[in-house]
Amino acid sequence: MYDHEKMIAAVSEVLAMNDRGSYTQPAHGLYPHQWLWDSCFVAIGMRHLDVERAQTEILSLLRGQWQNGMLPNIIFRDDPQYRTDRSIWRSWLSPNAPSDVMTTGITQPPMLAEAVVQIGKKLKAPERRRWYRLVYPAIVAYHEWHYAERDPHQEGLVLQIHPWETGLDNTPPWMNEMHDHQLPFWISVIEKSRFDRVINLFRRDTHSVPIDQRFSTIEALCLFDIQRRLRRKNYDIERVLNRSIFAIEDLSYNCIFIRANELLREIAATIKTDVPEELDRNMKLSEKAIEHLWDEYSNQYYSRDFVTHRLLKIPTIATLLPLYAGSVSHTRAKELVSLLEDDEMFGPAYPVPSVPLNSEWFQSKLYWQGPSWVNMNWLIIDGLKRYGFNDHALALTESTLEMVERAGSYEYFDPITGEAAGAANFSWTAALALDLAKTR
Ligand code: GLC
């Protein structure tokens, strides 16, 4: 019905437009720097156009790797006009930060191994091995960092310290916790301080996107406050966790990490090496640990509070990501698929909504509180295929492509009408639509 060729030309143009030589900015104006998981998604699409350029995208991410193995969620552009962005974070306060590039002090979902393997699929065997050998040490260090710093009790689940680390910035369970922990403090700060100036700096987002499609100013201030507290502790995890505001074992993040571990094994096997013993043990633990996030009353997985182990029982798009993790039983996977089929939950005309339609949080154009996002669809499609739900995978692929073909490479889409929302010419939408069209 739809002319995929035309769409492929259009999305390729978006990627070319956002290409900054060695990396791709997520969107002109709003997101001018290099973002971690954005670049991974971009590389997954870019490999169909220029596999070498896709490799460069990944190598360029590795410039930002910290000495402790962390990959930051943003590597800042070295341009005087972005001095404020760099100095909000002051990554140089940490002895672990690289000295030649400026970054944030937090990470984002570990899509690196996936991007590396997807690129590998486009290479002949000897080149693939060379590629894997080149990036393997960085991926191992990155995964080891997760266990060393983000799983202090060796439970197999890794914790996040800022909503931005999940990539789903204003996802309801995190916003709910944030309001509970912080709002009263912030109301007084706003009253007393000159924070409106900071708000203006921080809210570049609402210059180009309608305010009702982004998080509230109070939420923005809270996010900034958490960032400032992390900075005050020089991004030193022991100090951060010592008196943490909140730390969450996020469901979507952990699902992506479990899959990334499996892909790391695949990389190691291809280059005939063994994953370091301790890492191997931890990885096995993670596959099982996801079951601690299962709630037998509502038959769903949830994120968990790191300290109290309380499940944060608000369903979101993360509910479906155990399909991508791939480590849950077929029976559980089937239960998740039934939620995807449910018209009142994840089954509107343009799925998959980032919170279910019947949630009190649902707003069709509000960022991660309703709209459909192409990266989430890509992850779910990939999981559906691996569990053998091929018809579901195909249906979701088609509706995703239709959404992009009709509305363009927007950041997110209204799941009921398919209307575009957020930033225009958004790189990962373009890249992943390209990948879906090419691998259908
Ligand atoms: C927004 C998204 C985040 C993404 C970033 C750059 O903050 O929530 O996931 O990485 O934009 O596109």
Side-chain angles (χ1 to χ4, degrees):
M1 182 169 51
Y2 285 92
D3 176 0
H4 286 324
E5 288 311 314
K6 220 156 120 198
M7 192 269 305
I8 288 174
V11 296
S12 306
E13 214 170 283
V14 170
L15 289 179
M17 191 191 309
N18 288 332
D19 190 346
R20 301 208 46 83
S22 59
Y23 71 90
T24 307
Q25 61 186 7
H28 177 75
L30 188 54
Y31 306 118
H33 311 290
Q34 181 172 25
W35 262 263
L36 174 54
W37 76 335
D38 295 67
S39 271
C40 295
F41 291 128
V42 162
I44 291 170
M46 183 92 80
R47 74 196 167 116
H48 299 289
L49 302 173
D50 180 348
V51 70
E52 243 177 72
R53 178 61 186 77
Q55 289 173 294
T56 305
E57 187 81 23
I58 296 303
L59 295 177
S60 163
L61 266 183
L62 301 184
R63 294 175 301 155
Q65 188 158 34
W66 285 31
Q67 260 173 47
N68 57 2
M70 185 190 77
L71 284 173
N73 74 327
I74 304 174
I75 301 174
F76 293 113
R77 231 158 105 173
D78 184 18
D79 182 320
Q81 67 168 308
Y82 300 114
R83 193 171 299 131
T84 314
D85 297 30
R86 294 190 293 266
S87 74
I88 283 177
W89 283 94
R90 277 172 237 165
S91 53
W92 55 86
L93 292 172
S94 168
N96 288 316
S99 52
D100 48 347
V101 289
M102 312 255 174
T103 73
T104 61
I106 58 169
T107 192
Q108 238 182 359
M111 287 300 303
L112 178 64
E114 177 77 83
V116 163
V117 169
Q118 293 294 343
I119 290 172
K121 287 185 187 167
K122 284 281 180 185
L123 300 170
K124 295 213 177 76
E127 283 171 28
R128 183 182 314 132
R129 284 196 294 271
R130 215 170 307 133
W131 166 237
Y132 283 180
R133 262 187 228 112
L134 179 66
V135 291
Y136 179 72
I139 309 178
V140 168
Y142 181 42
H143 286 225
E144 286 180 333
W145 166 79
H146 276 90
Y147 289 110
E149 299 221 339
R150 298 309 186 85
D151 183 17
H153 301 157
Q154 298 189 313
E155 294 172 302
L157 294 168
V158 292
L159 63 90
Q160 288 69 55
I161 53 178
H162 194 293
W164 286 328
E165 289 202 314
T166 70
L168 319 179
D169 303 9
N170 67 338
T171 191
W174 280 83
M175 290 304 100
N176 201 41
E177 291 301 294
M178 195 167 79
H179 283 260
D180 280 1
H181 286 272
Q182 291 212 324
L183 214 49
F185 166 70
W186 264 103
I187 289 167
S188 66
V189 169
I190 293 164
E191 280 170 352
K192 284 194 237 131
S193 72
R194 305 175 306 167
F195 254 100
D196 49 332
R197 283 172 51 193
V198 180
I199 303 173
N200 288 342
L201 283 177
F202 188 70
R203 303 231 71 185
R204 189 163 48 207
D205 60 337
T206 52
H207 296 176
S208 49
V209 175
I211 188 121
D212 61 351
Q213 296 180 13
R214 311 301 283 192
F215 39 71
S216 73
T217 297
I218 293 283
E219 284 168 349
L221 286 169
C222 287
L223 294 170
F224 182 77
D225 177 59
I226 304 167
Q227 183 274 330
R228 213 168 40 110
R229 293 188 203 200
L230 299 175
R231 186 183 72 201
R232 219 185 289 141
K233 294 177 177 180
N234 298 348
Y235 308 109
D236 174 337
I237 195 67
E238 270 180 41
R239 291 178 64 199
V240 168
L241 292 180
N242 201 6
R243 269 195 64 223
S244 143
I245 328 144
F246 62 124
I248 292 174
E249 292 153 338
D250 182 75
L251 174 60
S252 57
Y253 193 110
N254 276 277
C255 288
I256 290 172
F257 188 49
I258 289 168
R259 176 67 182 146
N261 280 335
E262 196 184 328
L263 292 164
L264 173 58
R265 273 190 211 292
E266 196 179 310
I267 295 169
T270 308
I271 58 174
K272 300 201 170 16
T273 186
D274 290 324
V275 171
E277 235 169 82
E278 193 183 337
L279 178 59
D280 186 63
R281 263 199 314 275
N282 283 326
M283 282 164 37
K284 285 188 184 127
L285 190 62
S286 295
E287 278 168 35
K288 299 202 183 77
I290 192 175
E291 294 309 326
H292 297 314
L293 304 181
W294 176 257
D295 173 50
E296 58 194 45
Y297 301 104
S298 56
N299 275 338
Q300 284 178 41
Y301 293 92
Y302 296 105
S303 296
R304 186 171 85 167
D305 182 288
F306 166 67
V307 178
T308 63
H309 281 189
R310 176 175 47 95
L311 292 179
L312 310 178
K313 296 192 193 175
I314 306 177
T316 68
I317 189 73
T319 306
L320 301 174
L321 290 192
L323 287 168
Y324 177 72
S327 61
V328 306
S329 70
H330 204 271
T331 317
R332 292 263 160 99
K334 226 169 157 183
E335 298 208 32
L336 299 180
V337 170
S338 72
L339 304 180
L340 196 55
E341 289 167 341
D342 187 338
D343 289 347
E344 291 183 0
M345 288 198 74
F346 293 107
Y350 296 93
V352 182
S354 40
V355 305
L357 303 187
N358 60 6
S359 161
E360 58 180 9
W361 289 83
F362 178 80
Q363 288 189 56
S364 66
K365 289 195 175 61
L366 184 58
Y367 213 34
W368 291 100
Q369 295 185 6
S372 295
W373 290 71
V374 171
N375 66 334
M376 291 294 115
N377 288 10
W378 190 93
L379 296 174
I380 293 167
I381 290 165
D382 188 72
L384 286 169
K385 283 186 189 163
R386 278 183 284 115
Y387 275 103
F389 296 102
N390 292 321
D391 293 347
H392 290 80
L394 190 60
L396 185 53
T397 301
E398 290 304 330
S399 65
T400 307
L401 290 175
E402 185 185 322
M403 211 160 65
V404 178
E405 276 168 359
R406 283 173 46 149
S409 291
Y410 272 79
E411 192 178 4
Y412 40 94
F413 301 85
D414 183 317
I416 296 165
T417 63
E419 275 169 283
N425 299 318
F426 190 65
S427 294
W428 87 40
T429 301
L432 296 177
L434 177 62
D435 187 65
L436 290 176
K438 293 275 186 189
T439 57
R440 211 148 51 102

